[in-house]
Amino acid sequence: MYEVPDQTGKTIVITGANSGTGKEAAARLAAAGAQVIMAVRTPEKGEQAKAEILRRHPAAKLEVRRIDLADLASVRGFADDLLAAGAPLDVLVNNAGVMAPPDRHTTADGFELQFGSNFLGPFALTMYLLPLLLRADNPRVTTMSSGTANFGRINFDDLQWERRYSPTRSYAQSKLADLILSVRLAEIAGERGWNLRSTAAHPGYTRTNLQTAGAGIGRDKPARGLLGSLPILPSQDVEQGAEPLLYAAGDPSARSGEYYGPTGRFGLVGPSGPAKITRRARDEKVSARLWDVAERLTGTHLPA
């Protein structure tokens, strides 16, 4: 098991910290000494996760706060509370997401659910919290992407999937957008001389509730997830599946602009290491256009 380096003195925000890779990351980063803010949509579930982590690590410093990444007002409210306190933020982990709901749903702001909550919400949160991150000594933004980003396209003609919704293609688009966010933020940090690392990770095929939760949205009965019909694929438990995220968020050796994931069979399982960034995430024209669109849709901008 990957041993997280000492995180004493760091304050870390993790979205989606009540389950799956987010919960595991919260537990292990807190066990390494960090003060972890568990940013969750349902505080009751966050408190349950906090209690479970404290049973494993009684000295863990954890705080549950509510955020709904599918509601930009909620994202702004969460950020405003941290900005009002004014304390530096060492790490932001954009982990939360929804995966392949079978029918098209929209966010509180009218965006297609996956594009809105997987990309626009984290984009806005990152923009809002950059002033606090830039006050820290060695700040970092780590964004969870997915292997499906390799198959994604940014469909500027129908970003919100209003004409012909596809659960899998819209998910792939949102995860490619996350990877573009991470790569472009690293470039911007370099251009502006910011001491900020922007890293990305993917969990391979990790068994969590992500696959089933998204597939069950809007359905009375549980549904099979995106990978549930492919039992022959190698998979791993959450302890190992969270390790690329932990490495990208907490290891001194993780490099800005890089991408980390499992290095075993098909890139789905195994020890963490560098992952290949699809050329679509490095397309300068696509990245610049997507960034402009995200700023316009969220009403957020880079700090002066």
Side-chain angles (χ1 to χ4, degrees), residues 63-297:
E63 178 185 357
V64 175
R65 295 198 183 199
R66 185 181 184 277
I67 188 172
D68 184 352
L69 292 166
D71 182 348
L72 291 178
S74 174
V75 174
R76 180 62 186 265
F78 175 90
D80 281 348
D81 287 344
L82 292 181
L83 289 164
L89 177 62
D90 296 279
V91 185
L92 169 61
V93 181
N94 290 315
N95 164 77
V98 62
M99 183 178 188
D103 305 303
R104 185 181 183 273
H105 297 270
T106 56
T107 69
D109 305 282
F111 307 129
E112 187 274 318
L113 182 62
Q114 294 185 96
F115 188 69
S117 59
N118 292 358
F119 171 61
L120 292 176
F123 180 93
L125 181 62
T126 302
M127 294 301 102
Y128 286 135
L129 294 182
L130 272 174
L132 296 184
L133 286 156
L134 295 175
R135 293 179 192 174
D137 291 335
N138 293 289
R140 194 178 306 204
V141 176
T142 297
T143 302
M144 183 71 100
S145 183
S146 165
T148 60
N150 292 336
F151 309 103
R153 304 283 194 284
I154 305 300
N155 182 9
F156 288 109
D157 292 331
D158 190 19
L159 278 174
Q160 309 297 339
W161 298 92
E162 295 173 299
R163 292 201 288 271
R164 190 173 182 181
Y165 175 74
S166 164
T168 54
R169 287 189 290 129
S170 59
Y171 179 70
Q173 174 184 259
S174 72
K175 292 286 103 177
L176 174 59
D178 284 335
L179 192 51
I180 289 172
L181 164 61
S182 183
V183 171
R184 182 62 189 132
L185 183 59
E187 294 171 347
I188 290 169
E191 292 166 1
R192 296 194 173 200
W194 293 345
N195 183 29
L196 172 77
R197 269 185 271 193
S198 176
T199 59
H202 77 86
Y205 185 3
T206 295
R207 297 183 297 273
T208 71
N209 68 344
L210 178 66
Q211 292 93 3
T212 54
I217 292 176
R219 301 294 175 93
D220 293 330
K221 297 180 180 179
R224 273 191 149 183
L226 179 59
L227 299 176
S229 60
L230 299 173
I232 60 171
L233 290 177
S235 64
Q236 59 191 5
D237 60 29
V238 73
E239 287 78 13
Q240 187 161 32
E243 292 187 353
L245 186 67
L246 286 165
Y247 184 88
D251 200 285
S253 301
R255 298 172 56 190
S256 190
E258 293 299 313
Y259 185 34
Y260 299 94
T263 58
R265 291 180 61 197
F266 310 122
L268 297 176
V269 296
S272 300
K276 183 179 179 181
I277 297 176
T278 175
R279 60 180 176 80
R280 297 188 190 95
R282 297 191 184 278
D283 187 308
E284 294 180 0
K285 291 183 179 179
V286 170
S287 297
R289 185 177 179 186
L290 180 64
W291 195 280
D292 288 344
V293 167
E295 286 190 332
R296 175 173 54 82
L297 293 178

